[in-house]
Amino acid sequence: KSVLGFESPSFRQKPETEMFQVFCFVRSLRRLTFACSSVMLKQIRFTGRRGFPMASSHKKRTGLRAALIVLLCLVLVCVVAAAVLYSLVSRKIKAFQSGASFALDYTITSTEAEPPALYALLDKFGGTTGSLTGQYTPRAVQLALYPTGTSTVNDAPLTRMYISEEETLYDAGQLYNKLRSTVVAEYPLASLLLPGWSLGSYISQDQLATLLGVDPAATGLQQVNDFQLDLKQLKTVQPANAKEGYLYLQLPNLAAGEDAPQLILGIEKQGLLKTLSPKVHILLDVPAHHIHAELSGTVTASQTVVTAPTSRMQDSDVESLVQLRKTIESIVQFVQTAAQSDDAVTSPAA
């Protein structure tokens, strides 16, 4: 440190930018090269006086010393480069630990022949593929789903989700309003039959399980929030569908057992140095729900605040929601039957 003038990032008192670290690294390499050159010149000067060579054995020993010094310098350069890269990756991971916002394209597939409850619900409303946006904190995740064909900027989401350590909430009000607007846009008279949403917006996992007639464990996603971005516990992996130029890390999960979710985070290597929003490729398996999700997009480290929704349904409202769902299904079936009858009547005339 005192000879080469290199200062490792771990010794700094104040955090610096990635570009400044790279600058310091290049400057240190220049000093290291100069030091090596000086040592090499000194070794050459000792080979003889006024151009007269010394004994052959002395030349061999001098050559070995010079080669050893060059080798040690190369090893030192590799160690310094690894230290700088580790520091940059560590800083990125620590920034993501405190909070992040994300914009991702996703595809969800079922790993069983008989679709599980959550997958069947998403598939029914066309939400198994599309885009999602949201925020992450160590204690909770909030996201909005946009099916394929809709815009995350101009269109309303299909639904929203809130996942914390204690519970999973679904925005049933937004889902109903989205479906109602879709039906009314195609059949304007349906607005007279479909009432507006007057209940609390978010439904709990227990209430959704009651509505679907399944066990509450089938609608909870709390385990997805148990992953930890601990640099010491991350494992480097290479999945079968890995993208070129990505560094893949398997995140540890606090949950144990065969049903514990597994998450592999792929980060574009160039993005670690060049941008605040690196591209990511995420592979998520949730055995308890028999689903696999693949996501790709960007993640930006930020000081986000995720709060639990206050507009929530009461248990007494679940029965009203059941009746509302039956009303929607009967109206949609009636409209579809009427449309088929109109096609049958106009078809011979055509």
Side-chain angles (χ1 to χ4, degrees):
K1 176 181 176 182
S2 58
V3 176
L4 302 179
F6 174 75
E7 186 177 359
S8 175
S10 60
F11 294 113
R12 297 188 181 277
Q13 300 297 327
K14 298 180 180 180
E16 304 290 351
T17 63
E18 285 84 352
M19 293 304 298
F20 184 75
Q21 280 193 335
V22 174
F23 170 76
C24 293
F25 176 55
V26 174
R27 183 179 61 183
S28 301
L29 287 181
R30 292 179 60 187
R31 293 179 179 177
L32 182 59
T33 305
F34 178 76
C36 292
S37 302
S38 300
V39 174
M40 290 287 291
L41 289 175
K42 289 180 181 179
Q43 292 293 336
I44 293 174
R45 289 171 184 171
F46 281 123
T47 57
R49 298 180 180 177
R50 296 181 181 179
F52 294 98
M54 297 181 69
S56 176
S57 60
H58 183 70
K59 287 183 179 180
K60 291 181 179 180
R61 289 195 301 271
T62 302
L64 289 174
R65 292 195 195 100
L68 180 59
I69 291 173
V70 172
L71 180 62
L72 291 176
C73 290
L74 291 176
V75 172
L76 181 59
V77 169
C78 294
V79 171
V80 171
V84 172
L85 180 60
Y86 179 86
S87 176
L88 295 178
V89 174
S90 176
R91 183 168 298 176
K92 246 358 170 190
I93 296 297
K94 288 180 179 179
F96 289 149
Q97 282 179 333
S98 59
S101 58
F102 49 85
L104 306 167
D105 295 329
Y106 72 90
T107 299
I108 302 175
T109 55
S110 174
T111 57
E112 281 198 345
E114 184 178 352
L118 285 180
Y119 179 85
L121 184 62
L122 282 176
D123 187 44
K124 185 175 183 179
F125 299 118
T128 56
T129 60
S131 303
L132 61 85
T133 60
Q135 298 82 35
Y136 158 84
T137 66
R139 294 186 59 85
V141 179
Q142 192 169 32
L143 53 89
L145 299 179
Y146 297 83
T148 300
T150 60
S151 170
T152 59
V153 178
N154 301 321
D155 298 324
L158 175 65
T159 188
R160 299 181 181 90
M161 298 173 60
Y162 172 84
I163 307 171
S164 68
E165 298 174 348
E166 296 82 17
E167 60 183 355
T168 303
L169 302 176
Y170 304 88
D171 193 344
Q174 175 60 33
L175 178 61
Y176 174 80
N177 290 330
K178 182 70 174 179
L179 295 177
R180 184 179 185 275
S181 62
T182 302
V183 174
V184 171
E186 189 171 357
Y187 309 103
L189 292 179
S191 62
L192 302 176
L193 303 175
L194 293 175
W197 183 265
S198 59
L199 306 175
S201 295
Y202 280 81
I203 184 173
S204 69
Q205 66 184 73
D206 294 338
Q207 293 168 340
L208 181 60
T210 301
L211 182 65
L212 299 177
V214 297
D215 188 86
T219 56
L221 294 172
Q222 287 90 318
Q223 286 185 328
V224 177
N225 206 41
D226 288 340
F227 293 104
Q228 291 185 321
L229 285 170
D230 188 351
L231 192 62
K232 295 180 181 179
Q233 298 185 30
L234 296 179
K235 296 180 181 179
T236 304
V237 294
Q238 190 68 14
N241 55 342
K243 293 185 177 182
E244 186 177 356
Y246 279 68
L247 172 67
Y248 286 88
L249 305 169
Q250 185 167 7
L251 275 63
N253 194 312
L254 295 176
E258 297 180 355
D259 289 341
Q262 297 180 1
L263 190 148
I264 296 176
L265 172 63
I267 307 177
E268 188 183 31
K269 296 177 182 178
Q270 293 183 353
L272 289 172
L273 300 175
K274 294 183 178 181
T275 178
L276 296 176
S277 303
K279 293 181 179 179
V280 296
H281 181 213
I282 301 173
L283 304 174
L284 174 64
D285 286 287
V286 188
H289 297 290
H290 307 289
I291 59 174
H292 169 79
E294 184 170 351
L295 308 96
S296 59
T298 59
V299 177
T300 306
S302 59
Q303 297 294 329
T304 57
V305 177
V306 177
T307 57
T310 57
S311 178
R312 303 177 58 165
M313 290 182 57
Q314 302 297 322
D315 291 339
S316 57
D317 296 332
V318 176
E319 184 61 30
S320 300
L321 184 59
V322 172
Q323 296 299 326
L324 186 60
R325 186 187 68 173
K326 292 180 179 179
T327 301
I328 295 175
E329 291 176 349
S330 61
I331 292 175
V332 171
Q333 184 177 4
F334 172 77
V335 171
Q336 291 177 346
T337 303
Q340 292 175 357
S341 300
D342 291 341
D343 293 339
V345 171
T346 57
S347 180

